[in-house]
Amino acid sequence: MTFRLGLTGSIGMGKSTTAALFAAAGLPVWDADASVHRLYAPGGAAVAPIASLHPAACRDGGIDREVLKSWIAADPIALARIEAIVHPLVAADRARFLADAAADIVVLDIPLLFEKSSQSEFDATLLVTAPAALQRHRVLARPGMTEAQFQSILARQMPDAEKRRLATHIVETLDLASTQAYVTALISHIRNRHA
């Protein structure tokens, strides 16, 4: 039976880097954000249903995420309407990934895993975290990111301390070498416990 590891962490914590380390170790990794990008791309399954709700969101055969952000900011029910379309499509994409994955361990990278209370769907969870000052530094170093945008994103995410209480495993991403060592050790731990 395939072991399902749910990978999560707030913005700027090092989750994408950690996911890449699992992939480099040969584990199949499913990325919820990448799934949404595919759904919004030209010809994606979410394009027509979202365009029927908000035609301005459709550009060049795909969904313009900036237009969606503006719509969500202006309309209090827009996000719920978008999620009603996108969440079932993402769930179907994840189910296809799991059905096709021929590995003893798979990693599912889900930013809002705890916010959506979906931890029961996994055999274990791994929280990627870092000190608040390092998180802030990483996020504000991103092109175009402002302090106001960062605070807005943080406000929508569960506090790190609460995520720590919910997680099965926790890795602090202070540097690449120690994160790599943790990933290697965790893979061995899972294989030894669930062989």
Side-chain angles (χ1 to χ4, degrees), residues 28-88:
V29 176
W30 179 82
D31 182 331
D33 286 342
S35 177
V36 173
H37 280 283
R38 288 191 299 275
L39 293 169
Y40 285 176
V47 175
I50 290 176
S52 72
L53 289 179
H54 194 71
C58 188
R59 293 249 171 95
D60 302 320
I63 295 298
D64 184 322
R65 294 171 80 98
E66 293 306 312
V67 173
L68 279 193
K69 284 181 194 171
S70 298
W71 180 33
I72 290 166
D75 182 346
I77 63 165
L79 181 60
R81 295 176 77 192
I82 293 164
E83 287 179 342
I85 291 166
V86 174
H87 285 180

Side-chain angles (χ1 to χ4, degrees), residues 59-194:
R59 293 249 171 95
D60 302 320
I63 295 298
D64 184 322
R65 294 171 80 98
E66 293 306 312
V67 173
L68 279 193
K69 284 181 194 171
S70 298
W71 180 33
I72 290 166
D75 182 346
I77 63 165
L79 181 60
R81 295 176 77 192
I82 293 164
E83 287 179 342
I85 291 166
V86 174
H87 285 180
L89 295 171
V90 170
D93 187 62
R94 184 172 76 185
R96 278 191 299 276
F97 166 83
L98 289 169
D100 294 343
D104 59 338
I105 304 168
V106 295
V107 178
L108 297 108
D109 177 350
I110 303 175
L112 299 178
L113 190 153
F114 293 129
E115 286 84 349
K116 300 294 182 186
S117 299
S118 57
Q119 55 267 36
S120 63
E121 298 171 28
F122 304 96
D123 298 299
T125 57
L126 172 60
L127 174 65
V128 179
T129 186
L134 180 56
Q135 176 193 26
R136 185 175 182 280
H137 172 76
R138 287 172 176 168
V139 175
L140 292 180
R142 295 178 181 186
M145 181 61 71
T146 66
E147 179 69 36
Q149 287 173 312
F150 175 47
Q151 294 304 323
S152 172
I153 292 166
L154 278 185
R156 293 193 305 270
Q157 295 184 332
M158 182 184 289
D160 191 60
E162 198 171 331
K163 289 182 181 183
R164 285 172 178 263
R165 285 194 295 276
L166 295 170
T168 315
H169 305 284
I170 300 170
V171 59
E172 264 203 340
T173 60
L174 301 175
D175 60 75
L176 189 59
S178 64
T179 306
Q180 171 73 70
Y182 184 92
V183 166
T184 302
L186 181 60
I187 292 169
S188 294
H189 169 77
I190 291 169
R191 285 187 169 141
N192 290 337
R193 293 278 307 270
H194 301 279

